[in-house]
Amino acid sequence: ASQGKEVFKQAKIQSKFIPGMPANFDFVRFNFKKPIHEERFMEICEYENVIIEFDENDSSVFVFGEKDHIQEALKEMAPFFSEQMS
């Protein structure tokens, strides 16, 4: 270490601050390999009473809300995850 050699790799720390995130809500973030159908996601989120935000390229998705509502929404979104894995 005293010779400037890397002793261990430092973990990359990513900020947990998300601009526009509603206060006192839990959230999940996931990335898709290819763009998804936003309309169906919006329907699920509206039904499960959660907020969904897409990034510019529609590959990263944020879901905000109460923990139990997020869990129910993710169960409904499960088919989208299996499509991405194939």
Side-chain angles (χ1 to χ4, degrees):
S2 63
Q3 297 175 351
K5 294 180 182 176
E6 186 175 32
V7 177
F8 62 91
K9 294 209 180 269
Q10 199 167 13
K12 183 177 179 185
I13 299 171
Q14 187 173 357
S15 171
K16 292 192 179 225
F17 176 75
I18 302 169
M21 180 175 155
N24 301 322
F25 277 175
D26 290 317
F27 75 95
V28 294
R29 175 185 179 213
F30 42 91
N31 298 317
F32 287 114
K33 294 178 185 175
K34 51 190 173 185
I36 53 151
H37 303 288
E38 288 184 27
E39 294 169 7
R40 180 66 182 129
F41 260 64
M42 298 298 272
E43 290 173 11
I44 292 170
C45 289
E46 186 175 317
Y47 181 78
E48 295 297 341
N49 199 24
V50 294
I51 300 167
I52 189 165
E53 294 286 333
F54 296 91
D55 69 356
E56 314 79 53
N57 59 9
D58 295 337
S59 63
S60 290
V61 179
F62 294 91
V63 179
F64 306 100
E66 295 177 16
K67 186 176 182 176
D68 55 334
H69 293 275
I70 292 173
Q71 289 173 338
E72 291 301 317
L74 291 176
K75 287 178 189 175
E76 291 292 320
M77 294 175 189
F80 290 100
F81 300 121
S82 59
E83 285 176 13
Q84 292 287 319
M85 295 183 81
S86 57

Coordinates of all heavy atoms in Angstrom, one line a residue:
A1 N 0.8 -1.2 0.0 CA 0.0 0.0 0.0 C 0.9 1.3 0.0 O 0.5 2.2 -0.6 CB -0.9 0.0 1.2
S2 N 2.0 1.2 0.7 CA 2.8 2.4 0.8 C 3.5 2.7 -0.6 O 4.0 3.8 -0.8 CB 3.9 2.2 1.9 OG 4.7 1.2 1.6
Q3 N 3.5 1.7 -1.5 CA 4.2 1.9 -2.8 C 3.2 2.3 -3.8 O 3.5 2.3 -5.0 CB 4.9 0.6 -3.2 CG 6.0 0.2 -2.2 CD 6.6 -1.2 -2.6 OE1 6.1 -1.9 -3.4 NE2 7.7 -1.5 -1.9
G4 N 1.9 2.6 -3.4 CA 0.9 3.0 -4.4 C 0.2 1.9 -5.0 O -0.5 2.1 -6.0
K5 N 0.4 0.7 -4.6 CA -0.3 -0.5 -5.2 C -1.7 -0.6 -4.6 O -1.9 -0.3 -3.4 CB 0.5 -1.8 -4.9 CG 1.8 -1.9 -5.6 CD 2.5 -3.2 -5.2 CE 3.9 -3.2 -5.9 NZ 4.6 -4.4 -5.5
E6 N -2.6 -1.1 -5.4 CA -4.0 -1.2 -5.0 C -4.0 -2.5 -4.1 O -3.8 -3.6 -4.6 CB -4.9 -1.3 -6.2 CG -6.4 -1.3 -5.8 CD -7.3 -1.3 -7.0 OE1 -6.9 -1.9 -8.1 OE2 -8.3 -0.7 -6.9
V7 N -4.4 -2.3 -2.9 CA -4.5 -3.5 -1.9 C -5.9 -4.2 -2.1 O -5.9 -5.4 -2.1 CB -4.3 -3.0 -0.5 CG1 -4.5 -4.2 0.5 CG2 -3.0 -2.4 -0.3
F8 N -6.9 -3.4 -2.2 CA -8.2 -4.0 -2.4 C -9.0 -3.0 -3.3 O -8.8 -1.8 -3.3 CB -8.9 -4.3 -1.1 CG -9.2 -3.0 -0.3 CD1 -10.4 -2.3 -0.4 CD2 -8.3 -2.6 0.6 CE1 -10.6 -1.2 0.3 CE2 -8.5 -1.4 1.3 CZ -9.7 -0.7 1.2
K9 N -10.0 -3.6 -4.0 CA -10.9 -2.8 -4.9 C -11.9 -2.1 -4.0 O -12.5 -2.7 -3.1 CB -11.5 -3.6 -5.9 CG -10.6 -4.2 -6.9 CD -11.3 -4.4 -8.2 CE -10.3 -5.0 -9.2 NZ -9.6 -4.1 -10.0
Q10 N -12.0 -0.8 -4.2 CA -13.0 0.0 -3.5 C -14.4 -0.2 -4.1 O -14.5 0.0 -5.3 CB -12.6 1.4 -3.4 CG -13.2 2.2 -2.3 CD -12.6 3.6 -2.2 OE1 -11.8 4.0 -3.0 NE2 -12.9 4.2 -1.1
A11 N -15.4 -0.5 -3.3 CA -16.7 -0.6 -3.8 C -17.3 0.7 -4.4 O -17.1 1.8 -3.7 CB -17.7 -1.2 -2.8
K12 N -17.9 0.7 -5.5 CA -18.5 1.9 -6.1 C -19.7 2.2 -5.3 O -20.6 1.4 -5.2 CB -18.8 1.7 -7.6 CG -19.3 2.9 -8.2 CD -19.5 2.7 -9.7 CE -20.1 3.9 -10.3 NZ -20.4 3.7 -11.7
I13 N -19.8 3.4 -4.7 CA -20.9 3.8 -3.9 C -21.8 4.7 -4.8 O -21.3 5.7 -5.3 CB -20.5 4.5 -2.7 CG1 -19.7 3.6 -1.8 CG2 -21.7 5.0 -1.9 CD1 -19.0 4.3 -0.6
Q14 N -23.0 4.3 -5.0 CA -24.0 5.1 -5.8 C -24.9 5.9 -4.9 O -25.4 5.3 -3.9 CB -24.8 4.2 -6.7 CG -25.6 4.9 -7.7 CD -26.3 4.0 -8.7 OE1 -26.0 2.8 -8.6 NE2 -27.1 4.5 -9.5
S15 N -25.1 7.1 -5.2 CA -26.0 7.9 -4.4 C -27.4 7.3 -4.4 O -27.9 6.8 -5.4 CB -26.1 9.3 -5.0 OG -27.1 10.1 -4.4
K16 N -28.1 7.4 -3.2 CA -29.4 7.0 -3.1 C -30.4 8.1 -3.3 O -31.6 7.9 -3.3 CB -29.7 6.3 -1.7 CG -28.9 5.1 -1.5 CD -29.4 4.4 -0.3 CE -28.5 3.1 -0.2 NZ -29.3 1.9 0.1
F17 N -29.9 9.3 -3.6 CA -30.8 10.4 -3.9 C -31.3 10.3 -5.3 O -30.5 10.1 -6.3 CB -30.0 11.7 -3.7 CG -30.9 12.9 -4.1 CD1 -31.9 13.4 -3.3 CD2 -30.7 13.6 -5.3 CE1 -32.7 14.5 -3.6 CE2 -31.4 14.7 -5.6 CZ -32.4 15.1 -4.8
I18 N -32.6 10.4 -5.5 CA -33.2 10.4 -6.8 C -34.0 11.6 -7.0 O -35.0 11.8 -6.2 CB -34.1 9.1 -7.0 CG1 -33.3 7.9 -6.7 CG2 -34.7 9.1 -8.3 CD1 -34.1 6.6 -6.6
P19 N -33.6 12.5 -7.9 CA -34.4 13.8 -8.1 C -35.9 13.5 -8.4 O -36.2 12.6 -9.2 CB -33.7 14.4 -9.2 CG -32.4 13.8 -9.3 CD -32.5 12.4 -8.8
G20 N -36.8 14.2 -7.7 CA -38.2 14.0 -8.0 C -38.8 12.9 -7.2 O -40.0 12.6 -7.4
M21 N -38.1 12.2 -6.4 CA -38.6 11.0 -5.6 C -39.5 11.6 -4.5 O -39.2 12.4 -3.8 CB -37.5 10.2 -5.0 CG -38.1 9.0 -4.2 SD -36.7 8.0 -3.6 CE -37.4 7.3 -2.2
P22 N -40.8 11.0 -4.5 CA -41.7 11.5 -3.4 C -41.1 11.2 -2.0 O -40.5 10.1 -1.8 CB -42.9 10.7 -3.7 CG -42.8 10.2 -5.1 CD -41.4 10.1 -5.4
A23 N -41.3 12.0 -1.1 CA -40.8 11.9 0.3 C -41.5 10.7 1.0 O -42.7 10.4 0.7 CB -41.0 13.1 1.1
N24 N -40.8 10.0 1.8 CA -41.3 8.9 2.7 C -41.9 7.7 1.9 O -42.8 7.0 2.4 CB -42.4 9.5 3.6 CG -41.9 10.5 4.5 OD1 -40.7 10.5 5.0 ND2 -42.7 11.6 4.8
F25 N -41.4 7.5 0.7 CA -41.8 6.3 -0.1 C -40.7 5.4 -0.3 O -39.5 5.9 -0.3 CB -42.3 6.7 -1.5 CG -43.8 7.2 -1.6 CD1 -44.3 7.7 -2.8 CD2 -44.6 7.1 -0.5 CE1 -45.6 8.1 -2.9 CE2 -45.9 7.5 -0.6 CZ -46.4 8.0 -1.8
D26 N -40.9 4.1 -0.3 CA -39.9 3.2 -0.7 C -39.8 3.2 -2.2 O -40.7 3.7 -2.9 CB -40.3 1.8 -0.2 CG -40.2 1.7 1.3 OD1 -39.2 2.2 1.9 OD2 -41.1 1.1 1.9
F27 N -38.7 2.6 -2.7 CA -38.6 2.5 -4.2 C -37.8 1.3 -4.6 O -37.1 0.7 -3.8 CB -38.0 3.8 -4.8 CG -36.5 3.9 -4.6 CD1 -35.6 3.5 -5.5 CD2 -36.0 4.4 -3.4 CE1 -34.3 3.6 -5.3 CE2 -34.7 4.5 -3.2 CZ -33.8 4.1 -4.2
V28 N -38.0 0.9 -5.8 CA -37.1 -0.1 -6.5 C -36.7 0.4 -7.8 O -37.4 1.2 -8.4 CB -37.8 -1.5 -6.6 CG1 -38.2 -2.1 -5.3 CG2 -39.1 -1.4 -7.5
R29 N -35.5 0.0 -8.2 CA -35.0 0.4 -9.5 C -34.6 -0.9 -10.2 O -33.9 -1.8 -9.6 CB -33.9 1.3 -9.4 CG -33.2 1.6 -10.7 CD -32.0 2.5 -10.5 NE -31.4 2.8 -11.8 CZ -30.2 2.9 -12.1 NH1 -29.3 2.8 -11.1 NH2 -29.7 3.2 -13.3
F30 N -34.9 -1.0 -11.5 CA -34.4 -2.1 -12.3 C -34.1 -1.7 -13.7 O -34.6 -0.7 -14.1 CB -35.3 -3.4 -12.2 CG -36.8 -3.0 -12.3 CD1 -37.4 -3.0 -13.6 CD2 -37.5 -2.8 -11.2 CE1 -38.7 -2.7 -13.7 CE2 -38.9 -2.5 -11.3 CZ -39.5 -2.4 -12.5
N31 N -33.3 -2.4 -14.4 CA -32.9 -2.1 -15.7 C -33.3 -3.2 -16.7 O -33.1 -4.4 -16.3 CB -31.3 -1.9 -15.8 CG -30.9 -0.8 -15.0 OD1 -31.5 0.3 -15.0 ND2 -29.8 -1.0 -14.3
F32 N -33.7 -2.9 -17.8 CA -34.1 -3.9 -18.8 C -33.0 -3.8 -20.0 O -32.4 -2.8 -20.2 CB -35.5 -3.6 -19.4 CG -36.6 -3.9 -18.5 CD1 -37.4 -2.9 -18.0 CD2 -36.8 -5.2 -18.1 CE1 -38.4 -3.2 -17.1 CE2 -37.9 -5.5 -17.3 CZ -38.7 -4.5 -16.8
K33 N -32.8 -5.0 -20.6 CA -31.9 -5.1 -21.7 C -32.4 -4.4 -22.9 O -31.6 -3.8 -23.7 CB -31.6 -6.5 -22.0 CG -30.9 -7.3 -20.9 CD -30.7 -8.7 -21.3 CE -30.1 -9.5 -20.2 NZ -30.1 -11.0 -20.5
K34 N -33.7 -4.4 -23.1 CA -34.3 -3.7 -24.3 C -35.5 -3.0 -23.8 O -36.1 -3.2 -22.8 CB -34.6 -4.7 -25.4 CG -35.4 -5.9 -24.9 CD -35.5 -7.0 -26.0 CE -36.2 -8.2 -25.4 NZ -36.2 -9.3 -26.2
P35 N -36.0 -2.0 -24.6 CA -37.1 -1.2 -24.2 C -38.4 -2.0 -24.0 O -38.5 -3.1 -24.6 CB -37.3 -0.2 -25.4 CG -36.0 -0.1 -26.0 CD -35.4 -1.5 -25.8
I36 N -39.2 -1.6 -23.1 CA -40.4 -2.3 -22.7 C -41.7 -1.5 -23.1 O -41.6 -0.4 -23.6 CB -40.5 -2.5 -21.2 CG1 -40.3 -1.2 -20.5 CG2 -39.4 -3.5 -20.8 CD1 -40.9 -1.1 -19.2
H37 N -42.8 -2.2 -23.0 CA -44.1 -1.6 -23.3 C -44.6 -0.7 -22.1 O -45.0 -1.3 -21.1 CB -45.2 -2.6 -23.6 CG -44.7 -3.5 -24.8 ND1 -44.7 -3.0 -26.1 CD2 -44.3 -4.8 -24.8 CE1 -44.3 -4.0 -26.9 NE2 -44.0 -5.1 -26.1
E38 N -44.4 0.6 -22.2 CA -44.7 1.4 -21.0 C -46.2 1.4 -20.7 O -46.5 1.5 -19.5 CB -44.4 2.9 -21.4 CG -42.9 3.1 -21.4 CD -42.6 4.6 -21.6 OE1 -43.4 5.5 -21.3 OE2 -41.5 4.9 -22.2
E39 N -47.1 1.2 -21.6 CA -48.5 1.3 -21.4 C -49.0 0.2 -20.3 O -49.7 0.6 -19.4 CB -49.3 1.1 -22.7 CG -49.1 2.3 -23.6 CD -49.7 2.0 -25.0 OE1 -50.4 0.9 -25.2 OE2 -49.4 2.8 -25.9
R40 N -48.5 -1.0 -20.5 CA -48.9 -2.0 -19.6 C -48.3 -1.8 -18.2 O -49.0 -2.0 -17.2 CB -48.4 -3.4 -20.1 CG -48.8 -4.5 -19.2 CD -50.3 -4.8 -19.1 NE -50.6 -5.8 -18.2 CZ -51.4 -5.8 -17.2 NH1 -52.1 -4.7 -17.0 NH2 -51.6 -6.8 -16.4
F41 N -47.1 -1.3 -18.1 CA -46.5 -0.9 -16.8 C -47.3 0.1 -16.1 O -47.6 0.1 -14.9 CB -45.1 -0.4 -17.0 CG -44.0 -1.5 -16.8 CD1 -43.9 -2.6 -17.5 CD2 -43.1 -1.3 -15.7 CE1 -43.0 -3.6 -17.3 CE2 -42.2 -2.3 -15.4 CZ -42.1 -3.4 -16.2
M42 N -47.8 1.1 -16.9 CA -48.5 2.2 -16.3 C -49.9 1.7 -15.8 O -50.3 2.1 -14.7 CB -48.8 3.3 -17.4 CG -47.5 4.0 -17.9 SD -46.6 4.8 -16.7 CE -47.4 6.4 -16.8
E43 N -50.5 0.8 -16.5 CA -51.8 0.2 -16.0 C -51.6 -0.5 -14.7 O -52.4 -0.4 -13.8 CB -52.3 -0.8 -17.0 CG -52.8 -0.2 -18.3 CD -53.2 -1.2 -19.3 OE1 -53.3 -2.4 -19.0 OE2 -53.5 -0.8 -20.5
I44 N -50.5 -1.3 -14.6 CA -50.2 -2.1 -13.4 C -50.0 -1.1 -12.2 O -50.5 -1.3 -11.1 CB -49.0 -3.0 -13.6 CG1 -49.3 -4.1 -14.6 CG2 -48.5 -3.6 -12.3 CD1 -48.1 -4.9 -15.0
C45 N -49.2 -0.1 -12.5 CA -48.8 0.8 -11.4 C -50.1 1.6 -10.9 O -50.2 1.9 -9.7 CB -47.7 1.8 -11.8 SG -46.2 0.9 -12.0
E46 N -50.9 2.0 -11.9 CA -52.1 2.7 -11.5 C -53.0 1.8 -10.6 O -53.5 2.2 -9.6 CB -52.8 3.2 -12.7 CG -54.0 4.1 -12.5 CD -54.7 4.6 -13.7 OE1 -53.9 5.0 -14.6 OE2 -55.9 4.6 -13.8
Y47 N -53.2 0.6 -11.0 CA -54.0 -0.4 -10.3 C -53.4 -0.6 -8.9 O -54.2 -0.7 -7.9 CB -54.1 -1.7 -11.1 CG -55.0 -2.7 -10.4 CD1 -56.4 -2.6 -10.5 CD2 -54.4 -3.8 -9.7 CE1 -57.2 -3.5 -9.8 CE2 -55.2 -4.7 -9.1 CZ -56.6 -4.6 -9.2 OH -57.4 -5.5 -8.5
E48 N -52.1 -0.8 -8.8 CA -51.5 -1.1 -7.5 C -51.1 0.1 -6.7 O -50.5 0.0 -5.6 CB -50.2 -1.9 -7.8 CG -50.5 -3.3 -8.4 CD -51.3 -4.2 -7.5 OE1 -51.4 -4.0 -6.3 OE2 -51.9 -5.2 -8.1
N49 N -51.5 1.3 -7.2 CA -51.3 2.6 -6.4 C -49.8 2.9 -6.1 O -49.5 3.2 -5.0 CB -52.1 2.5 -5.1 CG -52.3 3.9 -4.6 OD1 -52.3 4.9 -5.3 ND2 -52.5 4.0 -3.3
V50 N -49.0 2.8 -7.2 CA -47.6 3.1 -7.1 C -47.3 4.1 -8.2 O -48.0 4.2 -9.2 CB -46.6 1.9 -7.1 CG1 -46.8 1.0 -5.9 CG2 -46.8 1.1 -8.4
I51 N -46.1 4.8 -8.1 CA -45.7 5.7 -9.1 C -44.5 5.1 -9.9 O -43.7 4.5 -9.3 CB -45.2 7.0 -8.4 CG1 -46.3 7.7 -7.6 CG2 -44.7 8.0 -9.5 CD1 -45.9 8.7 -6.7
I52 N -44.6 5.2 -11.2 CA -43.5 4.7 -12.0 C -42.8 5.8 -12.8 O -43.5 6.7 -13.3 CB -44.0 3.6 -12.9 CG1 -42.9 2.8 -13.6 CG2 -45.0 4.1 -13.9 CD1 -43.3 1.6 -14.3
E53 N -41.5 5.7 -12.9 CA -40.7 6.7 -13.7 C -39.8 5.9 -14.6 O -39.1 5.0 -14.2 CB -39.9 7.6 -12.8 CG -40.7 8.5 -11.9 CD -41.4 9.7 -12.6 OE1 -40.8 10.1 -13.6 OE2 -42.4 10.2 -12.1
F54 N -39.7 6.3 -15.8 CA -38.8 5.8 -16.8 C -37.7 6.7 -17.1 O -37.9 7.9 -17.0 CB -39.5 5.5 -18.1 CG -40.6 4.5 -18.0 CD1 -41.9 4.8 -17.8 CD2 -40.4 3.1 -18.2 CE1 -42.9 3.9 -17.7 CE2 -41.4 2.2 -18.1 CZ -42.7 2.6 -17.8
D55 N -36.5 6.2 -17.4 CA -35.4 7.1 -17.8 C -35.6 7.4 -19.3 O -36.5 7.0 -19.9 CB -34.0 6.6 -17.4 CG -33.6 5.4 -18.2 OD1 -34.5 4.9 -19.1 OD2 -32.5 4.9 -18.1
E56 N -34.6 8.2 -19.8 CA -34.7 8.7 -21.2 C -34.8 7.5 -22.2 O -35.4 7.6 -23.2 CB -33.5 9.5 -21.6 CG -33.1 10.6 -20.6 CD -32.3 10.1 -19.5 OE1 -31.2 9.4 -19.6 OE2 -32.7 10.4 -18.3
N57 N -34.1 6.4 -21.9 CA -34.0 5.4 -22.9 C -34.9 4.2 -22.6 O -34.8 3.2 -23.3 CB -32.5 4.9 -23.1 CG -32.0 4.3 -21.8 OD1 -32.7 4.2 -20.8 ND2 -30.7 4.0 -21.8
D58 N -35.8 4.3 -21.7 CA -36.8 3.3 -21.3 C -36.2 2.0 -20.9 O -36.8 1.0 -20.9 CB -37.8 3.0 -22.4 CG -38.6 4.2 -22.7 OD1 -38.8 5.1 -21.9 OD2 -39.2 4.3 -23.9
S59 N -34.9 2.0 -20.4 CA -34.3 0.8 -20.0 C -34.2 0.7 -18.4 O -34.2 -0.4 -17.9 CB -33.0 0.5 -20.6 OG -32.1 1.5 -20.2
S60 N -34.2 1.9 -17.8 CA -34.2 1.9 -16.3 C -35.6 2.3 -15.8 O -36.2 3.3 -16.4 CB -33.2 2.9 -15.8 OG -31.9 2.4 -16.0
V61 N -36.1 1.7 -14.8 CA -37.4 1.9 -14.3 C -37.3 2.1 -12.8 O -36.7 1.3 -12.1 CB -38.4 0.8 -14.7 CG1 -39.8 1.0 -14.1 CG2 -38.4 0.5 -16.2
F62 N -38.0 3.1 -12.3 CA -38.1 3.3 -10.9 C -39.6 3.2 -10.5 O -40.5 3.7 -11.2 CB -37.7 4.8 -10.5 CG -36.3 5.0 -10.7 CD1 -35.8 5.5 -11.9 CD2 -35.3 4.8 -9.7 CE1 -34.4 5.8 -12.1 CE2 -34.0 5.1 -9.9 CZ -33.5 5.6 -11.1
V63 N -39.9 2.5 -9.4 CA -41.2 2.3 -8.9 C -41.2 2.8 -7.5 O -40.4 2.4 -6.6 CB -41.7 0.9 -9.0 CG1 -43.1 0.7 -8.4 CG2 -41.6 0.3 -10.4
F64 N -42.1 3.8 -7.2 CA -42.2 4.4 -5.8 C -43.5 4.1 -5.2 O -44.5 4.0 -5.9 CB -42.1 6.0 -6.0 CG -40.9 6.5 -6.7 CD1 -41.0 6.9 -8.0 CD2 -39.7 6.6 -6.0 CE1 -39.9 7.3 -8.7 CE2 -38.6 7.0 -6.7 CZ -38.7 7.4 -8.0
G65 N -43.5 4.0 -3.9 CA -44.8 3.8 -3.2 C -44.6 3.1 -1.9 O -43.4 3.0 -1.4
E66 N -45.6 2.6 -1.3 CA -45.5 1.9 0.0 C -45.0 0.5 -0.4 O -45.4 -0.1 -1.4 CB -46.9 1.8 0.6 CG -47.3 3.2 1.1 CD -48.7 3.2 1.7 OE1 -49.2 2.1 2.1 OE2 -49.3 4.3 1.8
K67 N -44.3 -0.1 0.6 CA -43.6 -1.4 0.3 C -44.6 -2.5 -0.2 O -44.3 -3.1 -1.2 CB -42.9 -1.8 1.6 CG -42.0 -3.0 1.4 CD -41.2 -3.4 2.6 CE -40.4 -4.6 2.4 NZ -39.5 -4.9 3.5
D68 N -45.7 -2.6 0.5 CA -46.6 -3.7 0.1 C -47.2 -3.5 -1.3 O -47.4 -4.4 -2.1 CB -47.7 -3.9 1.1 CG -48.5 -2.7 1.5 OD1 -47.9 -1.6 1.3 OD2 -49.6 -2.8 1.9
H69 N -47.4 -2.2 -1.6 CA -48.0 -1.9 -3.0 C -46.9 -2.2 -4.1 O -47.2 -2.7 -5.1 CB -48.4 -0.4 -3.1 CG -49.6 -0.1 -2.2 ND1 -50.9 -0.3 -2.6 CD2 -49.6 0.4 -1.0 CE1 -51.7 0.1 -1.7 NE2 -51.0 0.5 -0.6
I70 N -45.6 -1.9 -3.7 CA -44.6 -2.1 -4.7 C -44.4 -3.6 -4.9 O -44.3 -4.1 -6.1 CB -43.2 -1.6 -4.2 CG1 -43.3 0.0 -4.2 CG2 -42.1 -2.1 -5.0 CD1 -42.0 0.6 -3.6
Q71 N -44.5 -4.4 -3.8 CA -44.4 -5.9 -4.0 C -45.5 -6.4 -4.8 O -45.3 -7.3 -5.7 CB -44.4 -6.5 -2.6 CG -43.2 -6.3 -1.8 CD -43.3 -6.8 -0.4 OE1 -44.4 -7.0 0.2 NE2 -42.1 -7.0 0.3
E72 N -46.7 -6.0 -4.7 CA -47.8 -6.4 -5.5 C -47.7 -6.0 -7.0 O -47.9 -6.8 -7.9 CB -49.2 -5.9 -5.0 CG -49.6 -6.5 -3.6 CD -49.7 -8.0 -3.7 OE1 -50.3 -8.6 -4.6 OE2 -49.2 -8.7 -2.7
A73 N -47.2 -4.8 -7.2 CA -46.9 -4.4 -8.6 C -45.8 -5.2 -9.2 O -46.0 -5.6 -10.4 CB -46.5 -2.9 -8.6
L74 N -44.8 -5.6 -8.5 CA -43.7 -6.4 -9.1 C -44.2 -7.8 -9.4 O -43.8 -8.4 -10.4 CB -42.5 -6.5 -8.1 CG -41.8 -5.1 -7.9 CD1 -40.7 -5.3 -6.9 CD2 -41.2 -4.7 -9.2
K75 N -45.1 -8.3 -8.6 CA -45.7 -9.6 -8.9 C -46.4 -9.6 -10.3 O -46.4 -10.5 -11.1 CB -46.7 -10.1 -7.8 CG -46.0 -10.5 -6.6 CD -47.0 -10.9 -5.5 CE -46.3 -11.1 -4.1 NZ -47.3 -11.3 -3.1
E76 N -47.2 -8.5 -10.5 CA -47.9 -8.3 -11.8 C -46.9 -8.1 -12.9 O -47.3 -8.4 -14.1 CB -48.9 -7.1 -11.7 CG -50.0 -7.4 -10.7 CD -51.0 -8.4 -11.3 OE1 -51.2 -8.5 -12.5 OE2 -51.4 -9.3 -10.5
M77 N -45.8 -7.5 -12.7 CA -44.8 -7.2 -13.7 C -43.9 -8.4 -14.0 O -43.1 -8.4 -15.0 CB -43.9 -6.1 -13.3 CG -44.6 -4.8 -13.2 SD -43.5 -3.5 -12.5 CE -44.6 -2.2 -12.2
A78 N -44.0 -9.5 -13.3 CA -43.2 -10.7 -13.5 C -43.0 -11.1 -14.9 O -41.9 -11.5 -15.3 CB -43.6 -11.8 -12.6
P79 N -44.1 -11.2 -15.7 CA -43.9 -11.6 -17.1 C -42.9 -10.8 -17.9 O -42.2 -11.3 -18.8 CB -45.3 -11.5 -17.7 CG -46.2 -11.6 -16.5 CD -45.5 -11.0 -15.4
F80 N -42.8 -9.5 -17.6 CA -41.9 -8.6 -18.3 C -40.4 -9.1 -18.0 O -39.6 -9.0 -18.8 CB -42.1 -7.2 -17.9 CG -43.3 -6.6 -18.4 CD1 -44.4 -6.4 -17.6 CD2 -43.4 -6.1 -19.7 CE1 -45.6 -5.9 -18.1 CE2 -44.6 -5.5 -20.2 CZ -45.7 -5.4 -19.4
F81 N -40.2 -9.5 -16.7 CA -38.9 -9.9 -16.3 C -38.5 -11.2 -17.0 O -37.4 -11.3 -17.5 CB -38.8 -10.1 -14.8 CG -39.1 -8.8 -14.1 CD1 -40.1 -8.8 -13.1 CD2 -38.3 -7.6 -14.3 CE1 -40.4 -7.6 -12.4 CE2 -38.6 -6.5 -13.6 CZ -39.6 -6.5 -12.6
S82 N -39.4 -12.1 -17.2 CA -39.1 -13.4 -17.8 C -38.9 -13.2 -19.3 O -38.0 -13.8 -19.9 CB -40.2 -14.4 -17.6 OG -41.4 -14.0 -18.1
E83 N -39.6 -12.2 -19.9 CA -39.3 -11.9 -21.4 C -37.9 -11.4 -21.6 O -37.3 -11.7 -22.6 CB -40.3 -10.8 -21.8 CG -41.7 -11.2 -22.1 CD -42.6 -10.0 -22.4 OE1 -42.1 -8.9 -22.7 OE2 -43.8 -10.2 -22.4
Q84 N -37.4 -10.6 -20.6 CA -36.1 -10.0 -20.7 C -35.0 -11.1 -20.6 O -33.9 -10.9 -21.1 CB -35.9 -8.9 -19.7 CG -36.7 -7.7 -19.9 CD -36.3 -6.9 -21.1 OE1 -35.1 -6.7 -21.3 NE2 -37.2 -6.4 -21.9
M85 N -35.3 -12.1 -19.9 CA -34.3 -13.2 -19.6 C -34.1 -14.1 -20.8 O -33.1 -14.8 -20.9 CB -34.6 -14.0 -18.4 CG -34.6 -13.1 -17.1 SD -34.9 -14.0 -15.7 CE -33.3 -14.7 -15.4
S86 N -35.1 -14.2 -21.7 CA -35.0 -15.1 -22.9 C -34.3 -14.4 -24.0 O -33.9 -13.3 -24.1 CB -36.3 -15.6 -23.3 OG -37.2 -14.5 -23.6

